[in-house]
Amino acid sequence: MTDGMWRGHLASWKHHATAITKGLTQRPCGGIFQDIVVNTRKDMKHVKDSKTGTGGEVIKLQTNHYQVTCGHEIAYKYNIDYQPDIKDMTIRTDLLLRHKSILGNCHIFDGNSLLLPRRLQHSEMELVSQTKSDGKVRIRIRLSSELHPNHPEWLRYYNILFSKLLKLNNLEEMESNPGDLRDLRNLLQASRMDIKRSYTTSILPYEKSLTLCADVTHRLLQKKTVLDLIREKNDKATKKEEVFEEVVGSIVYTTYNNKTYRIDDVNWEKKPQDTFEKFDGSQTTYIDYYRERYKTIITQPDQPLLMSLGKWKKGQMSTPHEPIFLVPQLCYLTGLARAVSENHSLMAQLTDRMRMSPVNRRITLNNFMKDIQTNQNIKNEFLQWKVTFDGNSLSVPGRVLSSVKLFQGARSYTVKPHLQNWLRNSKNIALHRAKSLDRWVVLHTRSCSSQVNRLVSTLDKVTEEMNIKMSRAARMVVCVLPDNGKQRYEEIKTFLCVEKPVPSQCVVASTLNNERNLTTIVTKIAQQMNCKMGGALWKVDTGVCRTMFIGIDCFHDIVSRQKSVAALVASTTEDLTTWHSQCLFQDTAEEIVNDLQSCLQAALNSWVANEKQKPQSVVVYRDGVGDGQLQALLEKEVRQFQKFFTSSIKLTFIVVKKRINTRFFVENGDKVTNPPSGTVVDQVVTRKEWYDFYIVSQTSNSGTVTPTHYNVIYDTNGLTPNQVQCLTYRLCHMYYNLPGIIRVPAPCHYAHKLAYFVGKSIHQKPASSLSDCLYYL
């Protein structure tokens, strides 16, 4: 194991009602529904008429998108308020829907507002409902707005209705293609684990129509509760500390309401027999509440309670969160059990099955849509809204871009994407820019002596062909470690990146015991060391001149919820082989970077020092932006770039999204496969308001490949679709930690690696003397 692999490795009714059903806040139309009204394409004249490229070989693709037809022309949104206020979503719904004679049977309620297909007799009215304890609740209904079918608010209601219907009709976790799922369960049975298959769905507008995008997801569950874990801890002196260490930051699953929660604390003072106040002023215990509400018996009254602050969304940590209290007995652990994670053979099989082959995914999704089509309850509900779903998936035209040529020293070779890896080509010829290992030192424990000798002797062999000159003597510190202990690694890296800054390479001794692959392993180590000292392995022809490429990403500590880290990595030579890195600490969960000027100045200084002139243009790849943050990105980050570079340097700003549910398939008769590397899609499932496209950059022989979505939100460079698509694909070949194609452009991934390394390992700003080398690989 080397550096690159290492890091892979209250008590009231208001509070508790949130614990059971999820807190309700007055929420405007947000998330992706907020982004789709941001028209970034209208200001880019060069793609006003068309954003479709022409380069590459045409290929026909199938998608996991299904056309949605809506016949209604207008709907009416009403705001709903309760006096006294009620937090419990189920009670709010029950009290409101007692008045169906006034509201009608066709409605969509989200807890705060109501969507109706017809206008009520009065724009404002007050209804009264009786509670079980003979209390009265006044419900005020006020007309808020009239909506058209493509309005983001209407779309949000459609998604709420669809998710609700899936749950009510047991389609949320139905077992389409049950044989495939049975095989997965058999694999996990001995490890006391189970797997749940569910479906991720969204109804959104694309180029020509609304579509339902459906995909398959899996959730691993342990057949072990948090209470079981607590009981396993026998040492009373360290019990609380051990439980805190294992539970806080983890995700638990509650079967009584089929929800997941992130645990933020263990409260040893609170117990299930404690009471809390309900909204009507009466008192009840957690034990009685669960028995009456969920018919669930809590058998151990002296167990502590778990606290969750609810789901954490990017850029929303300032939103107040009421604590949610959960009972350990009812919380099942999620994720991999240690027995599974340490079984490499089982992990390989599990990973392969969970990723699902293209053909299995297609079968499962087709069965899912067939059930949607034939379920009478779902059909009837949507027919009231004049909404129908096409059972056949959308087909889209794609194009496969040409293979990329790499330049390494005086040699060049064309990448064969289906081989996934070009190490065989690169290791036997001189690197593009080799750095001499003329001052370096190896640190190790006595127990690792034999592995160190093996490392040094193999380095002597592999470095000669790569033109890396070695001598024993430190511009590089190599640490051979007896194990992959996290604390030791973090202390070493902190010392060598902050206190005594020097490029360093950590290697776990057992990695060097693999005689069969030793040469390959040491070759990768040598290449990694070369990059950390400022060397370069290869380059590509980007097709643009005097252009600085910048990647930006952020790391958020979801376990301890410490300050977030923003990283900016910029190319500082025209050939894209030298990089400058900067990082900033921000408020917890803050995604938008507010102080880019100092980073940009440092990057520009480094470019000018290398090239003796300023760049003509800058291309930014921005990763990690959450749904609903597009407008904030334009107003804050893009504006900072505009202000810093002024009009003298052209700017292109591209938002990169990896976590998407869109999938593409190639169908040839009964055969369903992944699209080849270099496949571009810029029609049908893109948005007419955006200059966007998808690229499948990697070849995958197992599972279904996931495309990456790119959205050009600002462009004074005037890059054509062909230019920006080819450029983006080529940059996926420039990540020096892997002799292969990655999912995102290299500057993007370098920024991710830096933010993760600083946030996860050293927790403070690295020394500025390391800024011009890739020390964090």
Side-chain angles (χ1 to χ4, degrees):
M1 184 178 291
T2 63
D3 280 357
M5 301 161 63
W6 206 299
R7 297 184 290 273
H9 260 111
L10 246 223
S12 68
W13 168 256
K14 291 183 179 180
H15 292 151
H16 188 64
T18 320
I20 313 304
T21 57
K22 201 184 275 187
L24 294 171
T25 56
Q26 290 294 333
R27 57 178 181 179
C29 181
I32 186 63
F33 306 104
Q34 189 172 321
D35 285 342
I36 60 179
V37 300
V38 181
N39 190 329
T40 52
R41 184 178 167 190
K42 61 180 172 58
D43 295 323
M44 293 181 262
K45 294 181 180 179
H46 57 292
V47 288
K48 181 181 178 180
D49 297 325
S50 174
K51 61 173 183 180
T52 305
T54 57
E57 185 180 336
V58 177
I59 185 173
K60 184 179 179 181
L61 304 168
Q62 293 296 318
T63 70
N64 60 336
H65 285 248
Y66 304 81
Q67 187 167 329
V68 178
T69 305
C70 177
H72 257 300
E73 294 183 0
I74 195 168
Y76 303 88
K77 178 188 173 184
Y78 291 84
N79 289 337
I80 311 296
D81 296 299
Y82 294 78
Q83 185 63 39
D85 190 23
I86 295 170
K87 295 290 184 181
D88 191 300
M89 173 68 167
T90 303
I91 297 175
R92 290 172 73 95
T93 303
D94 176 63
L95 295 175
L96 178 67
L97 298 188
R98 291 179 190 178
H99 304 281
K100 281 187 179 179
S101 59
I102 296 173
L103 304 175
N105 290 319
C106 184
H107 54 262
I108 305 173
F109 181 54
D110 70 352
N112 294 305
S113 57
L114 183 71
L115 190 73
L116 299 174
R118 64 181 182 87
R119 187 166 183 158
L120 296 177
Q121 187 176 357
H122 304 286
S123 297
E124 187 172 332
M125 64 177 72
E126 188 176 276
L127 306 173
V128 178
S129 290
Q130 200 87 11
T131 66
K132 290 182 180 179
S133 57
D134 295 327
K136 290 184 178 180
V137 175
R138 298 181 183 278
I139 306 172
R140 187 184 181 192
I141 302 175
R142 291 174 298 152
L143 179 64
S144 170
S145 55
E146 297 180 357
L147 308 176
H148 59 79
N150 278 339
H151 191 285
E153 273 287 293
W154 194 333
L155 296 174
R156 184 176 68 82
Y157 283 107
Y158 274 170
N159 283 275
I160 290 170
L161 178 61
F162 194 83
S163 297
K164 173 187 172 184
L165 291 172
L166 291 184
K167 187 173 184 178
L168 291 177
N169 292 278
N170 298 316
L171 298 179
E172 188 179 36
E173 293 180 342
M174 66 183 178
E175 299 182 2
S176 297
N177 200 10
D180 174 53
L181 196 59
R182 194 185 309 118
D183 290 344
L184 276 167
R185 288 196 167 125
N186 290 337
L187 280 172
L188 294 164
Q189 192 170 11
S191 304
R192 290 191 66 203
M193 291 193 69
D194 195 10
I195 188 166
K196 279 187 175 288
R197 173 173 292 166
S198 57
Y199 299 85
T200 302
T201 61
S202 62
I203 301 173
L204 293 169
Y206 290 89
E207 292 287 347
K208 297 179 180 178
S209 66
L210 290 177
T211 80
L212 167 67
C213 176
D215 198 25
V216 188
T217 61
H218 294 93
R219 179 186 296 153
L220 285 171
L221 305 174
Q222 298 184 37
K223 295 179 180 179
K224 182 166 109 174
T225 66
V226 176
L227 181 59
D228 294 329
L229 185 147
I230 292 173
R231 285 170 173 168
E232 289 174 359
K233 309 302 177 185
N234 299 316
D235 190 335
K236 291 183 178 180
T238 61
K239 183 173 185 173
K240 291 182 179 181
E241 185 180 336
E242 289 177 8
V243 171
F244 183 91
E245 194 70 32
E246 290 195 40
V247 172
V248 171
S250 67
I251 305 297
V252 298
Y253 176 72
T254 51
T255 56
Y256 55 81
N257 60 356
N258 290 325
K259 291 183 180 180
T260 57
Y261 301 88
R262 180 194 176 280
I263 304 305
D264 291 285
D265 198 6
V266 181
N267 191 324
W268 295 89
E269 306 302 318
K270 296 186 73 66
K271 309 292 180 183
Q273 66 263 40
D274 286 357
T275 62
F276 61 89
E277 186 179 302
K278 301 195 322 190
F279 79 95
D280 60 2
S282 64
Q283 296 280 327
T284 189
T285 66
Y286 291 94
I287 293 175
D288 291 341
Y289 179 84
Y290 279 100
R291 184 180 65 248
E292 294 168 8
R293 177 72 183 273
Y294 294 107
K295 307 296 184 290
T296 298
I297 305 300
I298 296 173
T299 58
Q300 187 166 326
D302 62 341
Q303 58 187 299
L305 295 184
L306 308 175
M307 189 189 81
S308 173
L309 292 175
K311 291 189 177 181
W312 184 27
K313 296 184 178 180
K314 290 180 178 180
Q316 294 183 17
M317 275 304 289
S318 59
T319 303
H321 291 274
E322 294 179 348
I324 298 168
F325 288 101
L326 305 165
V327 180
Q329 177 189 335
L330 308 178
C331 297
Y332 286 84
L333 298 163
T334 62
L336 290 169
R338 183 172 295 178
V340 177
S341 62
E342 293 177 353
N343 185 328
H344 299 303
S345 175
L346 177 57
M347 279 296 296
Q349 294 180 67
L350 188 60
T351 301
D352 185 50
R353 299 287 182 85
M354 285 181 66
R355 293 183 65 191
M356 297 185 75
S357 66
V359 64
N360 280 343
R361 190 176 296 267
R362 282 290 283 171
I363 290 171
T364 303
L365 289 175
N366 285 340
N367 289 340
F368 172 71
M369 289 306 299
K370 189 180 295 183
D371 288 331
I372 296 297
Q373 295 270 297
T374 58
N375 186 288
Q376 204 59 45
N377 291 332
I378 292 179
K379 286 177 66 177
N380 290 345
E381 187 74 38
F382 273 105
L383 281 174
Q384 293 183 88
W385 292 94
K386 299 181 182 179
V387 173
T388 57
F389 300 93
D390 192 329
N392 298 313
S393 65
L394 289 172
S395 62
V396 300
R399 292 170 289 108
V400 182
L401 302 177
S402 302
S403 296
V404 174
K405 180 181 284 190
L406 300 185
F407 300 87
Q408 188 169 326
R411 305 273 294 275
S412 66
Y413 47 92
T414 299
V415 173
K416 297 177 180 178
H418 63 281
L419 296 179
Q420 300 183 346
N421 189 309
W422 57 76
L423 181 62
R424 185 176 297 178
N425 287 323
S426 69
K427 70 179 183 179
N428 297 322
I429 58 177
L431 300 180
H432 185 70
R433 184 173 65 246
K435 287 287 184 176
S436 297
L437 272 168
D438 51 6
R439 287 187 292 137
W440 67 296
V441 62
V442 183
L443 304 180
H444 62 92
T445 59
R446 288 180 181 176
S447 62
C448 302
S449 296
S450 60
Q451 289 95 337
V452 171
N453 291 332
R454 196 175 294 132
L455 170 63
V456 173
S457 61
T458 311
L459 273 171
D460 280 330
K461 296 175 184 176
V462 303
T463 53
E464 185 176 349
E465 289 184 317
M466 293 187 289
N467 200 31
I468 298 175
K469 294 179 172 60
M470 289 182 60
S471 63
R472 305 290 175 85
R475 286 206 309 166
M476 167 64 65
V477 175
V478 179
C479 299
V480 179
L481 309 178
D483 55 49
N484 59 357
K486 182 175 182 287
Q487 184 177 349
R488 182 195 294 112
Y489 174 79
E490 291 180 356
E491 288 175 350
I492 289 172
K493 284 297 182 179
T494 300
F495 182 78
L496 296 174
C497 291
V498 180
E499 298 175 34
K500 298 292 182 181
V502 62
S504 60
Q505 180 74 30
C506 288
V507 183
V508 176
S510 58
T511 307
L512 303 170
N513 291 332
N514 190 333
E515 293 284 355
R516 182 180 176 185
N517 296 316
L518 185 61
T519 300
T520 298
I521 291 168
V522 175
T523 297
K524 290 181 179 179
I525 292 172
Q527 291 184 346
Q528 205 170 32
M529 290 164 64
N530 184 74
C531 295
K532 290 181 178 183
M533 294 188 297
L537 306 185
W538 55 76
K539 70 172 185 176
V540 298
D541 180 5
T542 61
V544 292
C545 299
R546 285 177 55 194
T547 300
M548 175 190 285
F549 293 91
I550 296 177
I552 304 176
D553 200 1
C554 294
F555 169 81
H556 307 289
D557 189 339
I558 62 171
V559 176
S560 56
R561 301 199 180 193
Q562 299 299 310
K563 282 187 174 291
S564 294
V565 179
L568 180 148
V569 177
S571 61
T572 57
T573 51
E574 188 169 1
D575 64 359
L576 212 69
T577 61
T578 306
W579 301 87
H580 180 86
S581 309
Q582 292 281 327
C583 65
L584 298 167
F585 284 87
Q586 304 203 131
D587 289 341
T588 304
E590 181 57 62
E591 182 64 44
I592 302 300
V593 187
N594 294 310
D595 188 25
L596 285 167
Q597 183 166 341
S598 60
C599 297
L600 293 174
Q601 187 63 64
L604 183 60
N605 291 345
S606 185
W607 172 285
V608 173
N610 292 329
E611 297 289 350
K612 312 307 177 188
Q613 58 183 333
K614 290 183 179 181
Q616 289 181 335
S617 59
V618 172
V619 177
V620 182
Y621 287 94
R622 179 59 161 97
D623 200 358
V625 180
D627 288 339
Q629 294 186 300
L630 200 55
Q631 188 63 43
L633 198 65
L634 282 164
E635 293 175 355
K636 296 180 180 179
E637 289 191 12
V638 173
R639 192 161 293 175
Q640 289 180 72
F641 274 89
Q642 292 171 317
K643 185 177 179 180
F644 180 81
F645 288 113
T646 68
S647 59
S648 60
I649 297 177
K650 303 298 183 182
L651 174 66
T652 301
F653 201 103
I654 306 170
V655 176
V656 182
K657 276 203 174 182
K658 303 186 296 291
R659 295 181 182 180
I660 61 173
N661 297 316
T662 295
R663 300 288 184 269
F664 299 113
F665 310 92
V666 178
E667 288 190 354
N668 188 2
D670 294 333
K671 192 175 180 181
V672 182
T673 60
N674 283 314
S677 172
T679 298
V680 175
V681 174
D682 54 13
Q683 303 178 59
V684 185
V685 290
T686 52
R687 294 205 165 89
K688 60 184 178 182
E689 300 87 1
W690 295 353
Y691 179 11
D692 63 330
F693 57 94
Y694 301 85
I695 293 184
V696 175
S697 58
Q698 294 175 304
T699 297
S700 178
N701 294 325
S702 64
T704 309
V705 71
T706 304
T708 301
H709 181 255
Y710 298 92
N711 184 9
V712 185
I713 65 170
Y714 186 85
D715 182 25
T716 57
N717 273 307
L719 293 177
T720 66
N722 283 344
Q723 287 177 314
V724 72
Q725 291 165 10
C726 289
L727 175 62
T728 299
Y729 181 51
R730 290 177 184 181
L731 291 179
C732 293
H733 296 67
M734 281 298 293
Y735 181 58
Y736 286 157
N737 216 21
L738 176 73
I741 311 170
I742 61 171
R743 276 195 64 193
V744 296
C748 220
H749 203 51
Y750 286 138
H752 167 78
K753 293 290 286 189
L754 174 59
Y756 185 88
F757 172 69
V758 173
K760 201 74 174 175
S761 297
I762 66 173
H763 315 290
Q764 52 191 302
K765 197 167 183 176
S768 58
S769 60
L770 295 175
S771 295
D772 288 319
C773 56
L774 300 169
Y775 61 92
Y776 44 83
L777 290 187

